[in-house]
Amino acid sequence: MATEPFDVIIVGSGAAGGTAAYVLTSLGARVCLLEAGRYYEPGRETPMFQRHGEAPLADAGTPDKPFGFYDGTVDGGWILPEEPYTTAPGTEFRWFRARMLGGRTNHWGRVALRYANHDFKAYSLDGLGADWPFTYEEFAPWYDRAERMVGVFGTNEHLPDIPDSPPGCLQPPPVPRSYERLVIAGGRRLGRPVVASHEAVITQPLNGRSACFYASPCLRGCAIRANFQSPTVMLPPARASGRLTTITHAQVYEVDLAPDGSARGVHYVDRLTHQHHYLAGRAVMLGASAMESVRILFNSRSARFPGGIGAESGLLGRGILSTPGSNVWGRFPQMEGLPPFNDDGVVSLPHIYIPWWLLPEQRAGRLPFARGYHIELYGGRTEPSAYTFDQFNVVSPLSYGKRLKEEARRYYGSFVRFSQRGEMVMRDSNRVVIDPQMKDAWGIPGLCFDVRWSGQELRQTAHAQRSMAEFIEAAGGQLVSPLPSDPAQAITAPGRMIHEVGGARAGADPRKSVTDSYGRVWGVPNLYVIDGAAFPSSANKNPTLTIIAFAWRASEHLRKYLRNELHHA
Amino acid sequence: MPDRRETLAWLLRALALSAAPVVHVDSASARQGCAAAPAKPDQIGAAWRGDRGYGRDPDLLHPQVTWALTLTAQQKTAIARLADVFLPEEGSSPSASAVAVPEFIDEWVSAPYPQQQQDRVVLLEGMAALECAGNAPLHTLNASQAQILVAGLHARAAEGKEPEARFFARFRHICLIGYYTTPVGVAELGYVGYQPSARFAGPPPEVLAKLGL
């Protein structure tokens, strides 16, 4: 265990912080990792074999556990009474938090898709939002490292929206489930690609981790370490290095700067004792989650940075991004009354997905929206739960008695949810600011969100709704409910997909960005933003794999910086 | 608020069509209850304040219901009568009450969370309306009387009449959850997963054939 003064203080232990802790300790740095939540041990705590019916309310979601009693999230949720936030009048923002070692990596959906070059350079292609300060080619080596460490199943399909991985990066995907095969056949009829999803689950042993055994939902976490969670993949080797100190219940609220403008430590409050502490280090990395990292920067005010560190460009807190999402449910009569068979697969994660297939049309200006979406599929013969009958209730709301029992058996497993996951266009008007009136239970000023969908996202959603309906029909199914005429009724609220990023975007020009290409805040050479806050754009792909790769790259850069600094000292 | 005469009318029609014995009427208590407070169920708390639930960090390996169960024995009996009409015994398939659905509903409507509190209002309101309609305490119904009552309820729900439609939908839904998440219910649906295995084989040939794949 390392002691003060640390080489690096890392704030947050999730995808970004866990990766940085692993990379930096492996490169010889002495690291202190600060986590706001409690210690968490998936090997001991994960309910691998508890069945829905054994949980209170049959595992239905509640405000205490929005994704069900057994969900891997500890001390988290949408509404945390101790940690309020506000929204601008007429807007909505859903902000999911997880106060635990590993943060939201314990729960996430494990979709792990690489951004393509057109994702990094979208502004250059259509003039909207902002470019990343590097190309895909420049960034790809860190995707390779990330995939090899994380363990991702998937295939190389040579499709424009999803770059191929070099040999040795991807593991073989599981074969498709029954309903997934119907959709593959439907895609063939439509001439649209339906391919193996890329998921952070291993189907073969990796670095001492066991392969998936195809039982127990991934969203609970995984005691056998077959999926990616920071506490099962990144933190064990960091700990084994002997160079990692972890402090839990530590809510960081301010980065402390030396007179020369460099970072020299952080202030944090112990969430249990309410005691304030100071920790010194030679460099600071913020991986507190995109919005929390922005909040820390805003709250780090000084004579040098009166509006907070990184606020000089006026862009801190601006360009908040979310994922437009919507659902369409299909019912598949051919799946009714099937004989019992095990269709679990990698429980609760899709084996296949529909990548964005209209890039050429979009580039040619033939679509009324600038950015794409992909489609995920969920459903079929999952373990009966509090949600099994939601669609059945729509299809047959009035049966009872023997007929109800017959129908329950017949319809079970015959519904499939198609889910749009889209790209939002980055706009500076979508922002967070500090709400000076509102403080959390520890007296730290909280955030006010002002994030709105534009016509871009609504037109994309209208298109996605129609596409999903076409897929359902082509696969031999029917819509459970008619599509809403207004896409605003279909699109989920900003934040709801738990992919919020942006607010301290990376760029090549200090006047047009908050950090440099390594996430280093302009003007503070040893302060890095390594999580989703640094994203200048958010592709239609969930952000975790890119956060891991970005944090990895930043960590290698910081290691070089520390060596040089030592050399020059 | 339901029109009591209208509600009574469907029940009487339903009773007249059957050979079932006339529902026993405890005139004093039933009438007084209906007149005084026709459908005003108790409420545990209007809003969830983040307390009294199982919390955000419960012991996942040892699940516990942390709230007090609140239904009376008579309410649970009444629920059992109704639930057994929705999900009756059928050959080797047990009735709702035989797999503890009434106990599950008690757990559900006693929970302090908003959805469950809302369901509590819907269920108790609906039961109060049914009680008024029948002019008899629900827990005193026998099986065939319950059958008649639910037939009338179904007819009202099919016409979209409230509160019957709301009650029918939520009561049925919670019964389905309670029933089909038990080991018996899971087996009846034909869920045979949760089997750790070295590989995922995919659907068997006979299933693929049925799917035309």
Side-chain angles (χ1 to χ4, degrees), chain A residues 38 44 48 56-57 62 64 69 75-76 81-82 213 220 334 341 344 381 384 393 396 398-399 401 405 412, chain B residues 48 54-57 60-61 85-86 88 93-94 107 113 154 172-173 179-180 189-192 194 196-197 211:
Chain A
R38 73 159 169 88
R44 208 180 56 234
M48 297 293 279
L57 309 175
T62 66
D64 277 332
F69 183 83
D75 285 327
E82 313 82 29
F213 60 37
R220 297 180 182 185
Q334 63 272 54
F341 66 102
D344 272 356
R381 304 179 71 84
N393 286 338
S396 178
L398 285 166
S399 58
K405 280 188 157 182
Y412 165 68
Chain B
W48 181 75
Y54 47 62
R56 298 198 301 261
D57 188 13
L60 303 188
L61 303 185
V85 179
F86 277 83
S93 169
E107 175 186 319
Y113 302 112
H154 172 262
R172 190 183 88 147
H173 186 54
Y179 190 95
Y180 287 106
L189 292 183
Y191 174 75
V192 292
Y194 239 120
S197 42
L211 295 176

Side-chain angles (χ1 to χ4, degrees), chain A residues 120-144:
Chain A
F120 290 116
K121 297 294 176 187
Y123 169 77
S124 295
L125 293 165
D126 63 20
L128 298 170
D131 279 344
W132 291 63
F134 42 73
T135 63
Y136 173 76
E137 295 304 323
E138 289 165 339
F139 192 66
W142 287 277
Y143 272 139
D144 300 350

Side-chain angles (χ1 to χ4, degrees), chain B residues 6-200:
Chain B
E6 205 187 332
T7 313
L8 263 177
W10 67 251
L11 184 75
L12 291 173
R13 273 200 307 278
L15 286 173
L17 288 172
S18 76
V22 175
V23 176
H24 168 74
V25 177
D26 180 352
S27 52
S29 66
R31 258 190 231 124
Q32 196 188 8
C34 289
K40 200 72 190 160
D42 64 316
Q43 288 186 31
I44 289 178
W48 181 75
R49 293 186 303 273
D51 52 1
R52 291 179 291 109
Y54 47 62
R56 298 198 301 261
D57 188 13
D59 180 349
L60 303 188
L61 303 185
H62 304 94
Q64 297 257 319
V65 173
T66 53
W67 48 90
L69 302 179
T70 55
L71 294 183
T72 65
Q74 292 187 346
Q75 285 172 320
K76 272 166 69 180
T77 304
I79 284 172
R81 295 282 180 276
L82 299 174
D84 285 352
V85 179
F86 277 83
L87 296 166
E89 185 181 344
E90 189 194 6
S92 63
S93 169
S95 67
S97 61
V99 295
V101 168
E103 286 72 16
F104 178 76
I105 292 178
D106 192 7
E107 175 186 319
W108 189 278
V109 301
S110 302
Y113 302 112
Q115 176 65 59
Q116 283 70 27
Q117 285 289 291
Q118 204 178 313
D119 284 334
R120 178 185 187 83
V121 173
V122 169
L123 260 56
L124 295 188
E125 225 168 50
M127 284 168 62
L130 282 174
E131 197 143 284
C132 284
N135 237 352
L138 293 180
H139 69 273
T140 63
L141 299 181
N142 62 30
S144 54
Q145 290 167 331
Q147 189 74 40
I148 292 162
L149 200 66
V150 173
L153 171 71
H154 172 262
R156 298 271 301 167
E159 293 166 18
K161 296 276 198 292
E162 298 294 0
E164 287 90 343
R166 200 160 48 226
F167 174 80
F168 188 97
R170 288 311 295 173
F171 185 75
R172 190 183 88 147
H173 186 54
I174 302 165
C175 284
L176 284 170
I177 297 172
Y179 190 95
Y180 287 106
T181 56
T182 63
V184 167
V186 167
E188 279 192 22
L189 292 183
Y191 174 75
V192 292
Y194 239 120
Q195 296 165 353
S197 42
R199 59 185 276 273
F200 173 63

Side-chain angles (χ1 to χ4, degrees), chain A residues 275-294:
Chain A
Q275 296 280 311
H276 290 255
H277 299 272
Y278 180 77
L279 194 70
R282 295 170 59 211
V284 175
M285 291 188 132
L286 299 181
S289 84
M291 299 302 108
E292 284 292 351
S293 291
V294 170

